[in-house]
Amino acid sequence: MKRDLDIHVAIIEDDETIREGYAFLIGNTDGYKVVGTYPSYEDAAKRIVKDNPDVILLDVELPGISGIDALPKLKKILPDTHILILTVYEQEMLIFRALGSGAAGYLTKNTPADKIVAAIHEVMEGGGPMSAHIARMVISSFKRNESTPLTRRETEILEQIATGKSRKRIAEELFIDLETVKSHIKNIYHKLNVHSKADAIKAAKDNKFI
Amino acid sequence: MKRDLDIHVAIIEDDETIREGYAFLIGNTDGYKVVGTYPSYEDAAKRIVKDNPDVILLDVELPGISGIDALPKLKKILPDTHILILTVYEQEMLIFRALGSGAAGYLTKNTPADKIVAAIHEVMEGGGPMSAHIARMVISSFKRNESTPLTRRETEILEQIATGKSRKRIAEELFIDLETVKSHIKNIYHKLNVHSKADAIKAAKDNKFI
DNA sequence: ATGCAAATCACCCGCGAAGGGGGAATATAT
DNA sequence: ATATATTCCCCCTTCGCGGGTGATTTGCAT
C-alpha cells in the first residue's frame, strides 16, 4: 500500500542488481515509497524533479558525472531533498567533499538493508547517519595533537596568525606589546623549523597543532 | 561470569542513580565488565589508572573539574583508553571541544541502554558513535555555503590567502601573474566589503564561503 | 631556595608585501 | 550580443615581515 505520507526515496546507482535490490527492499518496507531509480546522474536529471523524492540514495562511482560532482547539482535543483551517499570508498577526500557539498549522511555499501532503511528514517528526523568507520574518520578530523612543541601562548598566537591578522592587530587584541608577539613568532618559527607565516600555518595544520 | 576478554568499562558520573544504573546494565551484559565507577574526576584520578578501563563513559556536568576539562587529563594518563561523552547538552562548542580533545564518541543521555552498550562495542571496533542530532551538527559543520558571491577563482585564491601565502607565492603556484592575483583580491575585498586579509578570511569563514 | 620554562618587552636592520587607484584584453558562457 | 570571469598592466604609499641579540619577570616544580 503506497500512501502520500510515505517517505519518497530515489536511488541513483549504476549497478542494476544493487539498484533494484535496494528499490525492492525499501519499496516493500512500510512507510517508504520508491519514486525513482536511475542508473546515472544524467538520467536522474531528466525526471528527478517531478519524481520529487524526500531522500536520494546516491552512489559515488557513477558513469559520466560522478556522484560527488552530481551532489551539488542535485542540491541545486532539489534544495530540500536529503542526500545519502552510498559507496564502497572510504577515502577522506571523498567523504569531506561530499559532506561539504551538503550530503546528509555517508554509508558504506556493506551496510545491511535494515540499517539503510533506518538511515533514511534518521535523515528525515534530522539525524546524520554514518557508517562506523566513516564516523571515526570524521571525529578524528577534529582531534588535535596534544603533544605539541608549542606553548599555550604560542599556539594562541599561531591561531591568530592563521586568521590573517597582522602582528600589530594580534598584539592589540591580546593586550601585549608588538615586540612580544614578534618574539613569540620567532620562537614558533624556530620550533617548527620554518621561516614564514605560510609554512608555519601549514606545518601546524599538518600536525594538527591548530 | 567476568573474564579478562571482557571489555572493561569505567563510568564517571555524579548522579548516583544514573551511575549505578549504567553500571548495572553494562555489568550484566555478556562481554562487558565494569571496573570502576566514580562520582567525579577527582575521585577517578586516584584509582582509574590501576582500574585500567578500555572505555570510559564520561559525563560532562561533573562537580569540580568538568567532564570536558577532565577529558584531556584522562587521555594523558590513559592514552589508549577510549572515552565516550555522555551528556544532556547539545551545545556546538561543547561537542567540538570534546571531539577536539580526543573523545571517541558523543551520546546524549536519552540514548537507550542497549544503544549505549552498542556504542561501547562500536568504539572498540574503531567506530565513532554519535547520537543522531549530534551527527547532524557535526556534518553540517562541514557544509559550505553554496550561494557564494565569489567566483571559483576568487574562492580558490581566498583559500590560498587563508593559508598565509603571499600574493607572489599564490601567483607562482597558480601559474598566473602577480597582477592577476592582486586584481582578484581587489574584487574579493569589494564583494565582501572588507579592506584586509584578516577581515576577508573572517567574513568568508563566517559565511562558510571557504 | 633554586632553577627552569614561559611570557613579557626592547631596539636594530633591510626588503618585500599589502592595499588601493586606474584601465584593458581575452575567453566563456548563455 | 552581452554579461561575467579571468587575465594582465601601470601607478602610488604605507606598513608588515623575518631575523639578530638581548633583558626582565612570573610561576611552577624540585
Side-chain angles (χ1 to χ4, degrees):
Chain A
M1 177 77 120
K2 318 263 168 144
R3 294 161 297 134
D4 273 314
L5 296 166
D6 290 344
I7 296 171
H8 290 197
V9 180
I11 302 166
I12 308 178
E13 158 70 58
D14 59 324
D15 185 296
E16 187 181 341
T17 310
I18 296 175
R19 182 175 71 248
E20 298 307 327
Y22 283 148
F24 180 79
L25 284 159
I26 294 163
N28 281 88
T29 303
D30 205 42
Y32 298 85
K33 181 181 175 181
V34 176
V35 294
T37 65
Y38 327 94
S40 72
Y41 168 74
E42 288 83 347
D43 287 281
K46 295 171 195 161
R47 297 180 288 124
I48 202 162
V49 172
K50 74 167 206 299
D51 290 341
N52 192 34
D54 300 306
V55 177
I56 299 170
L57 295 189
L58 178 62
D59 185 24
V60 300
E61 53 273 18
L62 290 173
I65 293 174
S66 79
I68 293 288
D69 294 328
L71 214 165
K73 297 178 195 289
L74 288 166
K75 286 300 287 185
K76 204 166 189 174
I77 58 177
L78 291 164
D80 298 325
T81 297
H82 302 287
I83 299 175
L84 260 177
I85 301 288
L86 203 57
T87 180
V88 291
Y89 293 115
E90 295 194 357
Q91 291 170 43
E92 275 206 35
M93 230 196 56
L94 248 41
I95 296 165
F96 294 134
R97 269 190 68 193
L99 298 182
S101 299
Y106 203 105
L107 303 177
T108 47
K109 276 187 179 168
N110 56 17
T111 308
D114 63 323
K115 285 277 168 63
I116 292 179
V117 173
I120 295 171
H121 183 256
E122 206 178 317
V123 161
M124 291 302 291
E125 298 289 315
M130 285 175 272
S131 300
H133 191 225
I134 305 292
R136 207 266 198 86
M137 280 195 269
V138 168
I139 286 180
S140 53
S141 77
F142 286 96
K143 194 150 105 210
R144 286 218 190 181
N145 186 347
E146 54 244 64
S147 63
T148 167
L150 304 178
T151 67
R152 277 214 214 113
R153 198 55 152 181
E154 285 164 359
T155 304
E156 190 181 6
I157 285 173
L158 188 48
E159 274 166 354
Q160 298 295 312
I161 291 173
T163 69
K165 294 198 182 98
S166 72
R167 300 155 178 225
K168 189 181 173 186
R169 192 162 158 188
I170 293 169
E172 284 162 2
E173 290 180 13
L174 295 182
F175 305 107
I176 55 178
D177 197 275
L178 170 62
E179 289 301 327
T180 309
V181 175
K182 288 182 68 179
S183 209
H184 284 305
I185 291 173
K186 269 182 285 197
N187 293 331
I188 291 167
Y189 286 4
H190 285 140
K191 285 183 182 178
L192 299 184
N193 201 17
V194 295
H195 309 278
S196 71
K197 248 186 310 182
D199 292 343
I201 292 169
K202 187 178 185 323
K205 284 197 169 149
D206 285 352
N207 293 295
K208 299 224 179 190
F209 296 150
I210 57 169
Chain B
M1 180 78 121
K2 318 261 168 142
R3 292 159 299 132
D4 274 313
L5 296 165
D6 291 344
I7 296 171
H8 290 196
V9 181
I11 303 167
I12 309 179
E13 159 70 58
D14 59 325
D15 185 298
E16 187 182 339
T17 311
I18 297 175
R19 184 176 69 248
E20 297 308 326
Y22 284 148
F24 180 80
L25 284 160
I26 294 163
N28 281 89
T29 304
D30 206 41
Y32 298 85
K33 181 180 174 181
V34 177
V35 294
T37 66
Y38 327 94
S40 71
Y41 167 73
E42 289 83 346
D43 286 282
K46 296 172 195 162
R47 294 180 289 123
I48 203 162
V49 173
K50 74 167 207 298
D51 290 341
N52 192 33
D54 300 306
V55 177
I56 299 170
L57 296 189
L58 179 62
D59 184 25
V60 300
E61 54 273 14
L62 290 174
I65 294 175
S66 80
I68 294 287
D69 295 327
L71 215 165
K73 296 178 196 290
L74 288 167
K75 287 301 285 186
K76 206 165 189 177
I77 58 177
L78 292 164
D80 298 324
T81 298
H82 302 288
I83 299 176
L84 261 175
I85 300 288
L86 203 57
T87 179
V88 291
Y89 293 117
E90 294 194 358
Q91 292 171 45
E92 274 206 35
M93 231 196 55
L94 248 39
I95 296 165
F96 294 133
R97 271 191 67 193
L99 298 182
S101 300
Y106 204 105
L107 303 176
T108 47
K109 277 189 181 166
N110 55 19
T111 307
D114 63 321
K115 286 275 169 61
I116 292 180
V117 172
I120 294 171
H121 183 257
E122 206 178 317
V123 161
M124 291 300 293
E125 297 290 313
M130 285 175 272
S131 300
H133 191 226
I134 304 292
R136 208 264 200 88
M137 281 195 268
V138 168
I139 285 179
S140 54
S141 77
F142 286 96
K143 194 151 108 209
R144 284 216 194 184
N145 186 348
E146 53 243 67
S147 64
T148 168
L150 303 179
T151 68
R152 275 213 218 112
R153 200 55 154 178
E154 285 163 359
T155 303
E156 191 181 6
I157 285 173
L158 188 47
E159 273 166 354
Q160 297 296 312
I161 291 174
T163 68
K165 294 199 183 97
S166 72
R167 298 157 179 223
K168 188 181 174 188
R169 191 160 157 189
I170 293 169
E172 284 161 2
E173 291 180 12
L174 295 182
F175 304 106
I176 56 180
D177 197 274
L178 170 63
E179 288 301 327
T180 309
V181 176
K182 287 180 68 178
S183 208
H184 284 306
I185 291 173
K186 268 185 286 195
N187 293 331
I188 291 167
Y189 286 5
H190 285 140
K191 284 182 180 178
L192 299 184
N193 200 17
V194 296
H195 311 278
S196 72
K197 247 186 310 182
D199 292 344
I201 292 170
K202 188 181 184 323
K205 283 200 170 149
D206 286 351
N207 294 296
K208 298 220 180 197
F209 297 151
I210 56 171

PDB file of all heavy atoms in Angstrom, chain A residues 54-69:
ATOM      1  N   ASP A  54      11.992  12.666  -1.208  1.00  0.00           N
ATOM      2  CA  ASP A  54      12.398  13.276   0.061  1.00  0.00           C
ATOM      3  C   ASP A  54      13.864  12.967   0.347  1.00  0.00           C
ATOM      4  O   ASP A  54      14.582  13.776   0.922  1.00  0.00           O
ATOM      5  CB  ASP A  54      11.540  12.727   1.209  1.00  0.00           C
ATOM      6  CG  ASP A  54      10.064  13.009   1.012  1.00  0.00           C
ATOM      7  OD1 ASP A  54       9.714  14.178   0.813  1.00  0.00           O
ATOM      8  OD2 ASP A  54       9.272  12.043   1.036  1.00  0.00           O
ATOM      9  N   VAL A  55      14.260  11.775  -0.066  1.00  0.00           N
ATOM     10  CA  VAL A  55      15.631  11.317   0.182  1.00  0.00           C
ATOM     11  C   VAL A  55      16.175  10.648  -1.080  1.00  0.00           C
ATOM     12  O   VAL A  55      15.461   9.884  -1.739  1.00  0.00           O
ATOM     13  CB  VAL A  55      15.694  10.300   1.344  1.00  0.00           C
ATOM     14  CG1 VAL A  55      17.103   9.770   1.537  1.00  0.00           C
ATOM     15  CG2 VAL A  55      15.177  10.925   2.638  1.00  0.00           C
ATOM     16  N   ILE A  56      17.432  10.959  -1.410  1.00  0.00           N
ATOM     17  CA  ILE A  56      18.087  10.299  -2.538  1.00  0.00           C
ATOM     18  C   ILE A  56      19.231   9.434  -2.008  1.00  0.00           C
ATOM     19  O   ILE A  56      20.047   9.904  -1.216  1.00  0.00           O
ATOM     20  CB  ILE A  56      18.668  11.327  -3.533  1.00  0.00           C
ATOM     21  CG1 ILE A  56      17.558  12.207  -4.123  1.00  0.00           C
ATOM     22  CG2 ILE A  56      19.433  10.623  -4.660  1.00  0.00           C
ATOM     23  CD1 ILE A  56      18.085  13.397  -4.921  1.00  0.00           C
ATOM     24  N   LEU A  57      19.277   8.191  -2.436  1.00  0.00           N
ATOM     25  CA  LEU A  57      20.459   7.361  -2.190  1.00  0.00           C
ATOM     26  C   LEU A  57      21.373   7.546  -3.383  1.00  0.00           C
ATOM     27  O   LEU A  57      20.982   7.267  -4.522  1.00  0.00           O
ATOM     28  CB  LEU A  57      20.075   5.881  -2.051  1.00  0.00           C
ATOM     29  CG  LEU A  57      19.207   5.475  -0.870  1.00  0.00           C
ATOM     30  CD1 LEU A  57      19.122   3.942  -0.775  1.00  0.00           C
ATOM     31  CD2 LEU A  57      19.771   6.025   0.436  1.00  0.00           C
ATOM     32  N   LEU A  58      22.574   8.030  -3.148  1.00  0.00           N
ATOM     33  CA  LEU A  58      23.460   8.383  -4.252  1.00  0.00           C
ATOM     34  C   LEU A  58      24.758   7.594  -4.198  1.00  0.00           C
ATOM     35  O   LEU A  58      25.500   7.666  -3.210  1.00  0.00           O
ATOM     36  CB  LEU A  58      23.748   9.896  -4.212  1.00  0.00           C
ATOM     37  CG  LEU A  58      24.690  10.466  -5.263  1.00  0.00           C
ATOM     38  CD1 LEU A  58      24.133  10.262  -6.668  1.00  0.00           C
ATOM     39  CD2 LEU A  58      24.943  11.949  -5.000  1.00  0.00           C
ATOM     40  N   ASP A  59      25.023   6.893  -5.269  1.00  0.00           N
ATOM     41  CA  ASP A  59      26.272   6.156  -5.409  1.00  0.00           C
ATOM     42  C   ASP A  59      27.365   7.135  -5.835  1.00  0.00           C
ATOM     43  O   ASP A  59      27.084   8.101  -6.537  1.00  0.00           O
ATOM     44  CB  ASP A  59      26.074   5.066  -6.479  1.00  0.00           C
ATOM     45  CG  ASP A  59      27.289   4.165  -6.617  1.00  0.00           C
ATOM     46  OD1 ASP A  59      28.057   4.075  -5.645  1.00  0.00           O
ATOM     47  OD2 ASP A  59      27.452   3.555  -7.677  1.00  0.00           O
ATOM     48  N   VAL A  60      28.605   6.915  -5.414  1.00  0.00           N
ATOM     49  CA  VAL A  60      29.650   7.848  -5.873  1.00  0.00           C
ATOM     50  C   VAL A  60      30.275   7.422  -7.195  1.00  0.00           C
ATOM     51  O   VAL A  60      30.606   8.262  -8.025  1.00  0.00           O
ATOM     52  CB  VAL A  60      30.772   8.101  -4.830  1.00  0.00           C
ATOM     53  CG1 VAL A  60      30.229   8.688  -3.555  1.00  0.00           C
ATOM     54  CG2 VAL A  60      31.579   6.879  -4.572  1.00  0.00           C
ATOM     55  N   GLU A  61      30.411   6.108  -7.401  1.00  0.00           N
ATOM     56  CA  GLU A  61      31.067   5.693  -8.637  1.00  0.00           C
ATOM     57  C   GLU A  61      30.016   5.480  -9.733  1.00  0.00           C
ATOM     58  O   GLU A  61      29.526   4.380  -9.943  1.00  0.00           O
ATOM     59  CB  GLU A  61      31.948   4.455  -8.454  1.00  0.00           C
ATOM     60  CG  GLU A  61      31.300   3.228  -7.804  1.00  0.00           C
ATOM     61  CD  GLU A  61      31.379   3.250  -6.299  1.00  0.00           C
ATOM     62  OE1 GLU A  61      31.617   4.337  -5.717  1.00  0.00           O
ATOM     63  OE2 GLU A  61      31.191   2.205  -5.691  1.00  0.00           O
ATOM     64  N   LEU A  62      29.686   6.567 -10.413  1.00  0.00           N
ATOM     65  CA  LEU A  62      28.695   6.529 -11.487  1.00  0.00           C
ATOM     66  C   LEU A  62      29.378   6.753 -12.821  1.00  0.00           C
ATOM     67  O   LEU A  62      30.406   7.440 -12.888  1.00  0.00           O
ATOM     68  CB  LEU A  62      27.648   7.629 -11.284  1.00  0.00           C
ATOM     69  CG  LEU A  62      26.662   7.495 -10.127  1.00  0.00           C
ATOM     70  CD1 LEU A  62      25.826   8.757 -10.008  1.00  0.00           C
ATOM     71  CD2 LEU A  62      25.770   6.282 -10.299  1.00  0.00           C
ATOM     72  N   PRO A  63      28.832   6.196 -13.919  1.00  0.00           N
ATOM     73  CA  PRO A  63      29.351   6.528 -15.244  1.00  0.00           C
ATOM     74  C   PRO A  63      28.990   7.977 -15.577  1.00  0.00           C
ATOM     75  O   PRO A  63      27.951   8.472 -15.144  1.00  0.00           O
ATOM     76  CB  PRO A  63      28.600   5.558 -16.165  1.00  0.00           C
ATOM     77  CG  PRO A  63      27.343   5.225 -15.427  1.00  0.00           C
ATOM     78  CD  PRO A  63      27.694   5.276 -13.965  1.00  0.00           C
ATOM     79  N   GLY A  64      29.879   8.642 -16.324  1.00  0.00           N
ATOM     80  CA  GLY A  64      29.618  10.055 -16.659  1.00  0.00           C
ATOM     81  C   GLY A  64      29.956  10.919 -15.463  1.00  0.00           C
ATOM     82  O   GLY A  64      31.042  10.804 -14.899  1.00  0.00           O
ATOM     83  N   ILE A  65      29.034  11.761 -15.060  1.00  0.00           N
ATOM     84  CA  ILE A  65      29.239  12.629 -13.906  1.00  0.00           C
ATOM     85  C   ILE A  65      29.226  11.776 -12.639  1.00  0.00           C
ATOM     86  O   ILE A  65      28.290  11.022 -12.403  1.00  0.00           O
ATOM     87  CB  ILE A  65      28.140  13.707 -13.835  1.00  0.00           C
ATOM     88  CG1 ILE A  65      28.279  14.663 -15.030  1.00  0.00           C
ATOM     89  CG2 ILE A  65      28.219  14.500 -12.539  1.00  0.00           C
ATOM     90  CD1 ILE A  65      27.172  15.678 -15.129  1.00  0.00           C
ATOM     91  N   SER A  66      30.280  11.906 -11.820  1.00  0.00           N
ATOM     92  CA  SER A  66      30.379  11.106 -10.599  1.00  0.00           C
ATOM     93  C   SER A  66      29.357  11.572  -9.572  1.00  0.00           C
ATOM     94  O   SER A  66      28.833  12.680  -9.641  1.00  0.00           O
ATOM     95  CB  SER A  66      31.777  11.223 -10.016  1.00  0.00           C
ATOM     96  OG  SER A  66      31.909  12.436  -9.310  1.00  0.00           O
ATOM     97  N   GLY A  67      29.101  10.708  -8.619  1.00  0.00           N
ATOM     98  CA  GLY A  67      28.156  11.039  -7.572  1.00  0.00           C
ATOM     99  C   GLY A  67      28.569  12.287  -6.807  1.00  0.00           C
ATOM    100  O   GLY A  67      27.737  13.123  -6.457  1.00  0.00           O
ATOM    101  N   ILE A  68      29.863  12.401  -6.566  1.00  0.00           N
ATOM    102  CA  ILE A  68      30.370  13.559  -5.838  1.00  0.00           C
ATOM    103  C   ILE A  68      30.082  14.849  -6.597  1.00  0.00           C
ATOM    104  O   ILE A  68      29.673  15.847  -6.020  1.00  0.00           O
ATOM    105  CB  ILE A  68      31.899  13.406  -5.610  1.00  0.00           C
ATOM    106  CG1 ILE A  68      32.180  12.232  -4.653  1.00  0.00           C
ATOM    107  CG2 ILE A  68      32.490  14.700  -5.080  1.00  0.00           C
ATOM    108  CD1 ILE A  68      31.819  12.489  -3.213  1.00  0.00           C
ATOM    109  N   ASP A  69      30.295  14.820  -7.921  1.00  0.00           N
ATOM    110  CA  ASP A  69      30.039  16.016  -8.723  1.00  0.00           C
ATOM    111  C   ASP A  69      28.540  16.242  -8.912  1.00  0.00           C
ATOM    112  O   ASP A  69      28.093  17.377  -9.100  1.00  0.00           O
ATOM    113  CB  ASP A  69      30.724  15.893 -10.088  1.00  0.00           C
ATOM    114  CG  ASP A  69      32.240  15.890  -9.950  1.00  0.00           C
ATOM    115  OD1 ASP A  69      32.749  16.553  -9.015  1.00  0.00           O
ATOM    116  OD2 ASP A  69      32.921  15.233 -10.763  1.00  0.00           O
TER     117      ASP A  69
END
